[in-house]
């Protein structure tokens, strides 16, 4: 029996988008990657579509991260460090509170270990402990501990930034 | 039952404890009725869990899926015409002012082959069909690559259509002063911007420039640069460090040693300089070559594998963390586009040639850059 990809899409788009957005931190780019994930999916008939989609998505995001790092480095080198730093520090006026929060959460998330961040993002994207275990290869008994540590660290890092900002 | 661990408490809050072990959830619930300490800890962990969920909820909001049909339409037709910030930074292309303007027009219309005219002795046709070319084609042909290839073209149209007239009256700020004389001379010779006229002039100028370009035996455009590079070679060599990027002029021998293999260059163009630097712990090489119009072509290179397979012990983790951390503060799209336009340059990023990642940058349309790309060896 072949997969009804349209139904799978409607069921999982939101979760995949949150997951990929958590990786690339760009909602539009995340949408592109979700599309790309499904385009690749349409060629296959996996036994477990959801798991398969998350696996593909994780790989795409990994490639993306490498490319982003290299692209950013070349961009900086071509345009001159001073210019690039200027852009990085420039604060757009009139930003919404939610944008600032999102930015700070992103920064805080970046300070977690790769594994902790992965597990947290998978949980946040509607995956069960069993699914997270299969996706990451971690023992299911270790997921709770990992989430405990990741959540604590996220909150600490975020609140830490807030305190720094308030002090300055 | 012993007191609950932090992990147990979170698993319990996540409703997953019984999934791990049959009945574990019920046992913990029973323990909590008897243990005030654990109840207090549960409250603490619940607060942390809620706060983390709240933060992630703001930062990663749920979005409505667009219709499934847009996906089936294929990855080469992106839903949006608006590109992400970084892609625009690469794809913004401007047909440049003055001297390069007429040539740019000719090149945009696909007469780029006349750029390397057989009539010009110093410009050799040096396309080498190797496996690397196949890799390059494969790289470009992959769905993501195809998407990127199409989009820069579209943005060229967008930008040129909207802003070309304004920009042609304003010379790019950071082209070196020296070639402006050459550009002025070239501009003076250009009779019109008609396509046939431009092509004729292009051939004529290419012939003139051939004499201005050094004969075959001299690869360097500027003897002084070559001498300076050799002088630098006597001093302590480039080393890796995490310091700010500082380009160091080097000679071809050191460039080969620095990159770990022969540098990529476009066949037939004289070399202006080799420069090495370290960025984020990665060795990068910057090769500059002189285009017939007098401007510089930059080839930014690094050996593949520099970031691609960083050891599991933290390297990629650090890079990924930085990418995530840096992402939220990338400049807005408008700022990036403005900067790219001011620079008046096109960049073709992320080309893998013969095991080297190379980014091309030059004041040419992206189509012309791709022609040059095919002449790399």
């Amino acid at each position: 029996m072949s997969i009804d990809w349209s139904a799978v899409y409607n069921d999982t788009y939101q979760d995949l988008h949150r997951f990929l957005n958590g990786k690339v931190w760009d909602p539009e780019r995340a949408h592109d990657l979700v599309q790309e994930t499904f385009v690749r999916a349409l060629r296959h008939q996996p036994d477990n579509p959801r798991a398969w989609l998350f696996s593909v998505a994780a790989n795409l995001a990994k490639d993306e991260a490498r490319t982003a790092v290299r692209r950013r480095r070349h961009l900086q080198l071509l345009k001159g460090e001073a210019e690039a730093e200027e852009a990085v520090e420039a604060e757009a006026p009139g930003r919404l509170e939610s944008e600032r929060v999102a930015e700070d959460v992103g920064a805080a998330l970046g300070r977690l270990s790769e594994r902790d961040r992965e597990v947290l993002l998978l949980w946040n994207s509607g995956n069960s402990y069993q699914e997270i275990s299969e996706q990451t290869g971690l023992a299911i008994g270790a997921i709770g501990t990992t989430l405990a540590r990741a959540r604590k660290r996220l909150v600490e890092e975020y609140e830490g930034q807030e305190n720094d900002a308030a002090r300055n | 039952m012993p007191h609950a661990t932090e992990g147990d408490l979170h698993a319990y809050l996540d409703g997953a404890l019984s999934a791990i072990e049959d009945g574990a959830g019920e046992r913990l619930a029973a323990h909590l009725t008897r243990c005030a300490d654990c109840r207090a800890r549960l409250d603490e962990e619940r607060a942390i869990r809620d706060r983390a969920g709240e933060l992630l909820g703001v930062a990663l909001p749920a979005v409505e899926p667009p219709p499934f049909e847009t996906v089936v339409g294929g990855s080469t037709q992106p839903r949006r015409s608006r590109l992400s910030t970084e892609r625009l930074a690469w794809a913004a292309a401007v047909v440049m002012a003055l001297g390069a303007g007429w040539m740019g027009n000719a090149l945009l219309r696909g007469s780029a082959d006349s750029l390397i005219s057989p009539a010009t002795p110093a410009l050799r046709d040096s396309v080498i069909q190797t496996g690397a070319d196949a890799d390059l084609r494969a790289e470009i042909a992959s769905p993501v690559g195809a998407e990127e290839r199409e989009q820069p073209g579209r943005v060229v149209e967008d930008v040129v259509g909207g802003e070309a007239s304004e920009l042609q009256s304003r010379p790019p700020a950071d082209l070196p002063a020296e070639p402006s004389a050459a550009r002025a001379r070239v501009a003076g010779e250009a009779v019109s911007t008609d396509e046939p006229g431009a092509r004729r002039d292009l051939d004529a100028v290419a012939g003139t420039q051939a004499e201005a370009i050094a004969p075959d035996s001299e690869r360097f455009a500027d003897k002084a640069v070559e001498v300076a590079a050799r002088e630098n070679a006597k001093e302590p060599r480039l080393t890796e460090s995490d310091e700010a990027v500082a380009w160091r002029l080097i000679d071809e021998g050191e460039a080969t040693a620095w990159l770990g293999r022969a540098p990529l260059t476009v066949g037939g163009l004289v070399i202006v300089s080799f420069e090495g630097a370290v960025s984020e712990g990665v060795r990068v090489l910057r090769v500059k070559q002189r285009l017939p119009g007098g401007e510089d072509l930059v080839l930014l290179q690094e050996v593949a594998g520099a970031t691609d397979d960083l050891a599991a012990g933290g390297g990629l983790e650090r890079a990924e963390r930085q990418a995530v951390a840096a992402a939220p503060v990338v400049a807005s799209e408008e700022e990036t586009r403005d900067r790219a336009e001011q620079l008046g340059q096109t960049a073709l990023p992320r080309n893998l040639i013969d095991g080297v990642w190379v980014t091309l940058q030059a004041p040419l349309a992206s189509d012309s850059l791709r022609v040059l790309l095919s002449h790399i060896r």
Side-chain angles (χ1 to χ4, degrees):
Chain A
M1 178 172 127
S2 88
I3 296 168
D4 179 0
W5 281 111
S6 175
V8 174
Y9 174 83
N10 286 314
D11 284 342
T12 58
Y13 178 92
Q14 219 168 63
D15 288 342
L16 279 170
H17 187 271
R18 293 188 80 183
F19 178 64
L20 285 167
N21 195 11
K23 297 264 202 167
V24 301
W25 219 257
D26 176 348
E28 292 203 9
R29 187 63 191 137
H31 165 74
D32 291 345
L33 289 174
V34 174
Q35 266 195 325
E36 182 63 31
T37 305
F38 275 99
V39 166
R40 290 171 193 231
L42 295 178
R43 305 182 199 140
H44 299 269
Q45 294 286 320
D47 289 333
N48 185 342
R50 185 187 165 91
W52 192 90
L53 286 165
F54 269 93
S55 180
V56 171
N59 282 330
L60 285 177
K62 189 156 268 185
D63 289 344
E64 185 81 2
R66 289 184 183 126
T67 304
V69 168
R70 187 189 311 111
R71 204 180 270 166
R72 184 170 52 86
R73 173 168 61 250
H74 283 209
L75 184 63
Q76 264 179 296
L77 291 171
L78 288 176
K79 296 193 171 179
E81 268 211 341
E83 249 186 319
E85 278 171 17
E86 226 177 271
V88 163
E89 287 160 21
E91 279 225 353
R95 272 189 316 170
L96 298 174
E97 174 71 7
S98 62
E99 283 176 3
R100 193 189 55 75
V101 169
E103 195 177 295
D104 289 348
V105 171
L109 207 53
R111 287 188 211 106
L112 269 57
S113 76
E114 187 180 344
R115 183 179 61 190
D116 287 0
R117 183 170 59 246
E118 185 79 6
V119 170
L120 187 58
L121 288 177
L122 281 169
W123 170 259
N124 188 60
S125 308
N127 292 292
S128 68
Y129 274 35
Q130 181 63 36
E131 287 169 330
I132 295 174
S133 168
E134 282 164 13
Q135 202 65 240
T136 59
L138 290 171
I140 193 169
I143 306 294
T145 313
T146 308
L147 280 173
R149 183 176 57 236
R151 286 163 175 158
K152 181 162 294 174
R153 188 82 198 278
L154 178 71
V155 173
E156 278 170 5
E157 292 289 342
Y158 177 81
E159 309 286 0
Q161 286 171 100
E162 297 296 291
N163 291 338
D164 288 345
R167 234 180 281 128
N168 296 339
Chain B
M1 175 180 176
H3 294 291
T5 65
E6 216 175 60
D8 289 339
L9 291 174
H10 277 260
Y12 178 75
L13 290 166
D14 290 337
L17 203 52
S18 289
I20 299 171
E21 196 188 320
D22 266 345
E26 286 84 358
R27 284 196 295 279
L28 178 54
H31 174 79
L32 287 169
T33 62
R34 295 186 302 267
C35 180
D37 279 346
C38 282
R39 276 201 303 277
R41 285 172 57 220
L42 182 70
D43 288 341
E44 280 172 22
E45 299 303 328
R46 183 186 289 116
I48 291 170
R49 179 181 181 273
D50 290 348
R51 182 63 172 142
E54 187 187 341
L55 293 175
L56 290 172
V58 172
L60 304 172
V63 300
E64 278 305 304
F68 181 60
E69 292 67 45
T70 62
V71 175
V72 176
S75 70
T76 57
Q77 283 157 40
R79 189 169 70 94
R80 295 178 175 77
S81 59
R82 203 167 80 94
L83 302 177
S84 73
T85 304
E86 278 190 277
R87 288 166 155 221
L88 258 184
W90 294 117
V94 177
V95 177
M96 292 11 81
L98 299 176
W102 63 265
M103 186 166 83
N105 277 330
L107 290 170
L108 260 185
R109 288 178 192 132
S111 57
D113 284 344
S114 58
L115 175 67
I116 302 179
S117 157
T120 322
L123 302 176
R124 301 179 297 275
D125 186 6
S126 59
V127 176
I128 296 175
Q129 300 293 334
T130 64
D133 277 355
D135 289 343
L136 176 59
R137 269 191 279 276
E139 168 85 355
I140 290 177
S142 76
V144 174
E147 195 179 353
E148 287 197 16
R149 186 162 51 100
E150 287 181 356
Q151 287 174 3
R154 288 222 314 280
V155 176
V156 168
E157 286 171 78
D158 290 344
V159 175
V160 169
E163 320 247 357
S165 55
E166 183 195 313
L167 284 157
Q168 276 176 2
S169 63
R170 183 186 74 205
D174 68 336
L175 289 181
E178 191 207 357
S180 63
R183 273 190 290 126
R185 192 172 65 236
V186 162
E189 287 171 2
V191 178
S192 70
T193 55
D194 291 346
E195 191 179 2
R199 213 176 289 168
R200 185 187 61 233
D201 291 333
L202 184 50
D203 284 352
V205 168
T208 310
Q209 291 284 14
E211 288 144 36
I213 291 171
D216 279 19
S217 56
E218 276 187 45
R219 290 195 72 203
F220 275 81
D222 187 345
K223 226 21 187 166
V225 167
E226 197 181 354
V227 169
R230 268 200 228 109
E231 284 302 310
N232 273 351
K234 296 175 192 159
E235 293 170 34
R237 307 251 143 181
L238 284 168
T239 55
E240 274 136 0
S241 73
D242 284 332
E243 299 304 315
V245 178
W247 291 108
R248 189 188 170 79
L249 203 56
I250 54 180
D251 65 16
E252 191 163 2
E254 197 178 350
T256 303
W258 183 247
L259 195 63
R261 45 149 293 150
L264 295 180
T265 57
V266 171
L269 298 183
V270 286
I271 292 167
V272 173
S273 61
F274 294 100
E275 293 165 289
V278 176
S279 177
E280 296 172 350
V282 173
R283 297 178 165 198
V284 283
L285 183 71
R286 180 165 72 184
V287 180
K288 283 185 186 165
Q289 291 184 267
R290 188 58 47 79
L291 295 166
E295 295 83 8
D296 281 348
L297 165 73
V298 174
L299 299 97
L300 204 54
Q301 314 177 17
E302 66 184 60
V303 169
T307 48
D308 290 347
D309 36 60
L310 288 169
L316 180 60
E317 196 177 292
R318 177 172 62 90
E320 274 192 339
R321 275 210 300 272
Q322 284 171 350
V324 169
V329 293
V330 163
S332 73
E333 201 175 279
E334 293 72 41
E335 287 172 35
T336 309
R337 186 166 48 214
D338 289 343
R339 265 211 321 285
E341 283 174 0
Q342 282 168 21
L343 209 59
Q345 306 261 329
T346 307
L348 284 189
R350 211 169 68 104
N351 300 288
L352 183 63
I353 299 176
D354 207 14
V356 175
W357 289 106
V358 61
T359 296
L360 298 190
Q361 184 193 36
L364 299 173
S366 55
D367 288 346
S368 321
L369 269 193
R370 279 195 198 89
V371 171
L372 292 176
L373 194 66
S374 68
H375 286 71
I376 285 181
R377 59 176 180 187

